[in-house]
Amino acid sequence: MTPPLVSRRLIAVSLMVLAAGVSACGQGAPAGKAEGETAAADYERGPHRGRMLRDGDFALEITIFEEGPEPLFRLYPYFKDRPLDPRQVQATIALTRLGPKVDRFNFIPTEDYLASPGVVSEPHSFDVAVAATQNGKRSTWTYPSYEGRTIITADAARAGGVTTQRAGSAVLGESLPLSGRVEITPEGQSDVFARYPGRVMAMSVELGQRVSRGQVLARVESSESLQTYSVTAPISGVIMAKNVNAGAITGAGGEPMLVIGDPSRLHAEFALYPRDAERVRIGQRVEVTSLAGDHRFNGVIETILPGSDPMSQTLIAHVDLAYQGGVWRPGLGVQGTVQVGEGAVPLAVQTKALQPFRDFTVVYAKVGNTYEVRMLELGRRTDEWTEVLGGLEPGTEYVVDGAFLIRADIEKSGASHDH
C-alpha cells in the first residue's frame, strides 16, 4: 500500500513544470523541489539508515549496500519493530527507470537480511515498487527515488541554448601535439661571399634591409690585382646577418660576409622525440598554430630529417607555411597538432557534452522534458569525440550544448547520494 505522505508527494511532482535539483537515492519527492528531491527527514529511517516501509506491525527497511565492488540491495524485515527472521519473508523489487526500463530483483534470506545478486546500476534514479509477503499477508509500496534528474520545459531549454543529439558511432581522429618554430627554408636563404680575398672598400646595406637579386651589396679591393669588384645579391630577401664592415679583410671562404633570407619562403620545424617519431609520417596533416592562438595554417609534413644532436635521437619534421601576409616570421614559436591515425568506434558522444557528477563523468540523457545523468565508462578521447564503453544505450538522446546549464539546474538545490 502507498502511505498518504508519498501519495501527496507524487501529486506534487505531477504538477511541476520546471524544477531543478537532485534527490538522494531512496527518497521521495515533495512539492517545490526538483523531481524526486527530498530531505532525509521526509521519510523514516531504520537502524541501518535505510528507508522504513510499514504495513501495520510489519516493516521492511530498504538499503543499498555500497561497500563491496558493486551496489546491492539489502532488505531488513521487522515485526512490531523487532528484527524478523528473513526466512519468513519473500520479497521482490521493481525499478522503473527513465525511458522506461524495468530492473527486477528477487531476494533470498542471508544472515539477518534479504539479499539479491542483482547489481543496482547507476544512476540510482527510478520509481520503486516493493512487494513482500509475511505470514501469508502481502504488502506493497511504491515511491519515487530520483537523483541527477530535473524537468525543464522545451521553451526554457531552447532559451538556454540546450541542444541534443542521438548517441551512435563516430570516427575518432587521434592527434599528437608538437612544439616547434618558424624558419626560412634552405631554398629561401643564401650566404654571400667575396669572390677574391681583399679589403672591403664599401658596404652599401644594413642589417634587416630588404634587397633585390643583383643589387650591389659591397665593393671589395682584390689583394692580388688591387682592382675593385662588386659583390651582388644572389637572391631577393632581407639581410639576416652582417659579419663584415667597410675596411675589414675578407676571404673567398670561411664566414660569409652577409646572409640573405627570403621571409616569404618559410616552414615550421617540429621536434619529434623518440616516443613520438615512430607515429609521425610524411604526408600526415598538421594544424600549425601561433603560440597566442591568433593564426592557424593547415599543412602536411613534407619531410622528416635527423636532428642536429645524434645522441638525442630527435628528428625534425618540416611543414611548409604559406606567407599569409607576414603573420609567420622566422624564429616565431609555434604549436602543431598532427593527425597520426583515426578509427571508427561503435558508440561515442561529443566531448563537449561531458560533465562531472559526483565521482563520475556523465552526459545528460533527455526523455521528453526530463533530463537525467548517465554515468559513463570512457575510452579514447579527442577534442571532438569521446568513445563510450558503458553506461549509455545506443540511440539515447543526450545534451550536447548547454549541458552545463542542466548540471547547474540539478546542483543548485544540493546534490546528494544517500542510502
Side-chain angles (χ1 to χ4, degrees), residues 10 16 50 55 57 70 91 93 96 99 136 154 188 196 200 209 220 279 288 297 320 322-323 337 350 398 409:
L10 290 173
M16 288 192 300
D55 184 8
D57 291 334
E70 300 285 0
I93 290 181
T96 302
Y196 311 105
V200 179
Q209 180 179 335
V220 178
R279 308 175 66 192
V288 182
F297 176 77
D320 285 344
Y323 182 57
T337 303
Q350 289 201 36
Y398 70 96
D409 203 38

Coordinates of all heavy atoms in Angstrom, one line a residue, residues 10 16 50 55 57 70 91 93 96 99 136 154 188 196 200 209 220 279 288 297 320 322-323 337 350 398 409:
L10 N 3.7 12.4 -4.8 CA 3.5 12.1 -6.2 C 2.6 13.1 -6.9 O 2.9 13.5 -8.0 CB 3.0 10.7 -6.3 CG 3.9 9.5 -5.9 CD1 3.2 8.2 -5.9 CD2 5.1 9.5 -6.9
M16 N 4.5 19.8 -11.3 CA 5.6 20.6 -11.6 C 5.9 20.7 -13.1 O 5.7 19.8 -13.8 CB 6.9 20.0 -10.9 CG 7.0 20.2 -9.4 SD 8.6 19.8 -8.8 CE 8.7 18.2 -9.3
G50 N 18.4 3.0 6.3 CA 17.6 2.8 5.1 C 16.2 3.4 5.3 O 15.8 3.8 6.3
D55 N 3.6 -1.6 7.1 CA 2.2 -2.0 6.8 C 1.7 -2.7 8.1 O 2.0 -3.9 8.3 CB 2.2 -3.0 5.7 CG 0.8 -3.4 5.3 OD1 -0.2 -2.8 5.9 OD2 0.6 -4.3 4.4
D57 N 1.9 -4.0 11.7 CA 3.0 -4.4 12.5 C 4.3 -4.8 11.7 O 5.4 -4.9 12.3 CB 2.6 -5.6 13.4 CG 1.6 -5.1 14.5 OD1 1.6 -3.9 14.8 OD2 0.8 -6.0 14.9
E70 N 30.2 -3.8 -6.0 CA 29.0 -3.3 -6.7 C 27.9 -3.0 -5.7 O 27.8 -3.7 -4.7 CB 28.5 -4.3 -7.8 CG 29.5 -4.7 -8.8 CD 29.7 -3.6 -9.9 OE1 29.0 -2.6 -9.8 OE2 30.4 -3.8 -10.8
A91 N 10.3 -11.4 -0.9 CA 10.2 -10.0 -1.3 C 10.7 -9.9 -2.8 O 11.6 -10.7 -3.2 CB 11.1 -9.1 -0.4
I93 N 11.6 -6.5 -5.8 CA 11.6 -5.0 -6.1 C 11.6 -4.9 -7.6 O 12.4 -5.6 -8.3 CB 12.8 -4.4 -5.4 CG1 12.7 -4.3 -3.9 CG2 13.0 -3.0 -6.0 CD1 13.8 -3.6 -3.2
T96 N 11.6 1.1 -12.0 CA 11.2 1.6 -13.4 C 12.1 2.9 -13.6 O 11.9 3.9 -12.9 CB 9.7 2.0 -13.4 OG1 9.0 0.8 -13.2 CG2 9.4 2.5 -14.8
G99 N 12.8 6.2 -19.3 CA 13.0 5.5 -20.6 C 11.7 4.9 -21.3 O 11.4 5.3 -22.4
G136 N 1.7 -15.1 5.1 CA 0.6 -15.1 4.2 C 0.0 -13.8 3.9 O -0.9 -13.8 3.0
A154 N 10.4 22.8 -22.7 CA 11.0 23.0 -24.1 C 11.4 24.4 -24.3 O 12.5 24.7 -24.8 CB 10.1 22.4 -25.2
G188 N 65.3 29.3 -49.4 CA 65.0 30.7 -49.2 C 66.1 31.6 -48.6 O 65.8 32.7 -48.2
Y196 N 87.1 37.0 -54.4 CA 88.6 37.0 -54.2 C 88.9 37.7 -52.8 O 88.2 38.6 -52.4 CB 89.3 37.8 -55.3 CG 88.9 37.4 -56.7 CD1 88.0 38.2 -57.4 CD2 89.3 36.2 -57.2 CE1 87.6 37.9 -58.7 CE2 88.9 35.8 -58.5 CZ 88.0 36.7 -59.2 OH 87.6 36.3 -60.5
V200 N 87.4 45.2 -47.8 CA 86.0 45.7 -48.1 C 86.2 47.3 -48.2 O 86.5 47.9 -47.2 CB 85.0 45.3 -47.0 CG1 83.6 45.9 -47.3 CG2 84.9 43.8 -46.9
Q209 N 67.8 45.1 -43.9 CA 67.4 45.8 -45.1 C 67.0 44.8 -46.1 O 67.6 43.8 -46.3 CB 68.6 46.7 -45.6 CG 68.3 47.5 -46.9 CD 69.5 48.3 -47.3 OE1 70.4 48.6 -46.5 NE2 69.6 48.6 -48.6
V220 N 84.8 45.3 -53.0 CA 86.0 44.8 -52.4 C 87.2 45.0 -53.3 O 87.1 44.8 -54.6 CB 85.8 43.2 -52.2 CG1 87.1 42.6 -51.6 CG2 84.6 43.0 -51.3
R279 N 55.4 7.3 -34.8 CA 53.9 7.5 -35.2 C 53.7 8.6 -36.2 O 52.6 8.8 -36.8 CB 53.1 7.9 -33.9 CG 53.4 6.9 -32.8 CD 52.6 7.3 -31.5 NE 51.2 7.3 -31.7 CZ 50.3 7.8 -30.9 NH1 50.8 8.5 -29.8 NH2 49.1 7.8 -31.1
V288 N 49.0 24.0 -37.8 CA 50.1 24.9 -37.2 C 49.4 26.1 -36.6 O 48.6 26.7 -37.2 CB 51.1 25.3 -38.2 CG1 52.2 26.2 -37.5 CG2 51.7 24.1 -38.9
F297 N 47.3 27.5 -39.6 CA 47.6 27.1 -41.0 C 47.5 25.5 -41.0 O 48.0 24.9 -40.2 CB 48.9 27.5 -41.5 CG 49.3 27.0 -42.9 CD1 48.8 27.6 -44.0 CD2 50.2 26.0 -43.0 CE1 49.1 27.1 -45.2 CE2 50.5 25.5 -44.3 CZ 50.0 26.1 -45.4
D320 N 55.7 23.0 -44.7 CA 55.8 24.3 -45.5 C 54.6 25.2 -45.1 O 53.5 24.8 -44.9 CB 55.7 24.0 -47.0 CG 57.0 23.5 -47.5 OD1 58.0 23.6 -46.9 OD2 57.0 22.9 -48.6
A322 N 52.5 28.9 -45.8 CA 52.1 30.0 -46.7 C 52.5 31.3 -46.0 O 52.5 31.4 -44.8 CB 50.6 29.9 -47.0
Y323 N 52.9 32.3 -46.8 CA 53.3 33.6 -46.3 C 52.2 34.2 -45.5 O 52.5 34.8 -44.4 CB 53.8 34.4 -47.5 CG 54.3 35.8 -47.0 CD1 55.4 35.9 -46.2 CD2 53.7 37.0 -47.5 CE1 55.9 37.1 -45.8 CE2 54.2 38.2 -47.1 CZ 55.3 38.3 -46.3 OH 55.8 39.5 -45.9
T337 N 49.5 20.3 -34.3 CA 48.7 19.1 -34.0 C 48.7 18.2 -35.2 O 48.1 18.6 -36.2 CB 47.3 19.5 -33.6 OG1 47.3 20.4 -32.5 CG2 46.5 18.3 -33.2
Q350 N 29.8 13.5 -28.1 CA 30.7 14.7 -28.3 C 31.4 15.1 -27.0 O 30.7 15.1 -25.9 CB 29.9 15.9 -28.8 CG 29.4 15.7 -30.3 CD 29.1 17.0 -30.9 OE1 29.7 18.1 -30.7 NE2 28.0 17.0 -31.8
Y398 N 21.0 12.8 -26.0 CA 21.7 13.4 -24.9 C 22.0 14.9 -25.2 O 22.0 15.3 -26.3 CB 23.1 12.6 -24.6 CG 24.1 12.8 -25.7 CD1 25.1 13.7 -25.6 CD2 24.1 12.0 -26.8 CE1 26.1 13.8 -26.6 CE2 25.0 12.1 -27.8 CZ 26.0 13.0 -27.7 OH 27.0 13.2 -28.7
D409 N 21.3 23.4 -13.0 CA 19.9 23.3 -12.6 C 19.8 22.2 -11.6 O 19.0 22.3 -10.7 CB 19.1 23.1 -13.9 CG 17.6 23.5 -13.6 OD1 17.4 24.6 -13.0 OD2 16.7 22.8 -14.1

